[in-house]
Amino acid sequence: MESINNSRPLLSLAKPCLATLIACSLFMTACGKQENDEAAKEAFSSTYQALESAPVFIQNATILLGNGEKLNEANILLKDGKIEAVGKRVKSVKGAIEIDATGKYVTPGVIDTHSHLGVYPSPGTRSHRDGNEAVAPVTADVWAEHSVWPQDPGFITALAGGVTSMQILPGSANLFGGRSVTVKNVPAHTYQAMKFPGAPHGLKMACGENPKRVYGDKGGPQTRMGNVAGYRRAWIDAADYLKKSEAAAEGSEPPKRDLKLETLAGVLKGEILVHNHCYRADEMATMLDLAKEFDYKVTSFHHAIEAYKIGDLLAANDTCASMWADWWGFKMEAFDMVRENIPMVEAAGACAIVHSDSGKGIQRLHQEAAKAMASGQRVGLDYDEATAISWITQNPAKALGILEHTGTLEEGKMADVVLWSDSPFSVYTHAEKVFVDGALIYDRFDESKQPVTDFSLGVLNFGAE
């Protein structure tokens, strides 16, 4: 029966229904809905396994916790993949690897909310451009993870910059570009082995110039008002799909599984987080009203060149803004920025984030945060490094729905930690050691702890003389 309303193979459908055969025979439509929900949740699940490691004790460091606090000459103990303790009186334990960090800094692992590593990998050949399914304005059915190439050397160079987690997004050609994926930045042969356990999917949306540029000569949208009409039509379809799916629990016939509407319905249910490429303040305000019309939330605007104009609105809607420190002016909608954008959003009480959208920028997010901090200080927004580090740790973790697991150095959280040679806000500073779940994944002074992808090893030319 389910095969009529579900495109999954019969074999996979039969197994979960077997244990509840009697119930399914009485409530066939409800069972069909359950099957749809379970299929959506289980598909391409994470196989990530943290590496085992001995306890690690780092002492005498300046520690930026990521939550606005700073500890001088303090210690941190990593054990069993978690942060065991942080503070001046924390002691080492038997068997721990001890590191003297006098004169050095410890921070949470850096998190990037906007990356295209793996979907636009290096080298940047046409054959590797798998980030934009630019065939229709609404492609909510595609998933970025199905384009991710784990051998992208960019993952390793990002690791050397202290990046331990990132969100990989589809491109911004479409009104709805598809699902994003959040990964741990660890060497792996499959993207499933990188997927952050339990992290929710995101939905990439885009407003402004990109969708109308791509589709203006292909049937539209041609204008910004066409963009908004396209969003509204899609959300109306999604609300109807969700209504029918919920009615199935009461005995109605479930709708045929639809990958596009399944993603949008996931947003309406609060299970998938909206990440919205948007530059102008007026357009961001429109998107917030659109979210109210259909009862969902915009988790973060991305690029957000004019976020400083609507910081109060972002704060009132608990919506983050993922921004660059000083990159703008490359097209009209990206024209009206100020260098104080990020600290001004912080001052408004909103969630400020420094993002990259760049395979190079992701290597230096700490320096981008430093530029934003300095710009704020020049106009009297005197945020220090304890606050600025939250722009690349705590706040992005919040936007990705993983703050309960990482993003700050608090007891019980994942031991995603960076040891820096000095303040991460100095241009002379390097990430010396990067720990993911307590395991040393990168060491600047130990080549055996500097991962190399198969691609980076090069190709032997057996035919050469």
Side-chain angles (χ1 to χ4, degrees), residues 2 35 38 49 56 69-70 87 112 132 135 188 209 234 323 357 366 407 429 437 449 455:
E2 285 87 358
E35 294 287 354
E38 290 180 353
Q49 295 288 327
V56 177
E69 295 184 51
K70 176 181 179 180
D112 191 0
N132 265 315
V135 298
E209 295 180 18
M323 300 163 279
D357 190 18
H366 57 296
T429 295
D437 287 307
K449 293 293 184 182
F455 179 82

Side-chain angles (χ1 to χ4, degrees), residues 1-8 10 13:
M1 176 184 156
E2 285 87 358
S3 62
I4 297 174
N5 295 313
N6 194 310
S7 60
R8 291 193 305 144
L10 286 172
L13 284 172

Side-chain angles (χ1 to χ4, degrees), residues 100-154:
D100 182 6
T102 301
K104 302 179 181 181
Y105 276 60
V106 170
T107 72
V110 176
I111 301 171
D112 191 0
T113 59
H114 197 120
S115 175
H116 297 298
L117 291 181
V119 299
Y120 287 114
S122 301
T125 67
R126 185 176 180 82
S127 59
H128 275 174
R129 295 168 62 183
D130 290 320
N132 265 315
E133 186 69 7
V135 298
V138 181
T139 58
D141 48 333
V142 304
W143 294 21
E145 62 202 71
H146 298 152
S147 286
V148 170
W149 186 46
Q151 288 195 63
D152 184 353

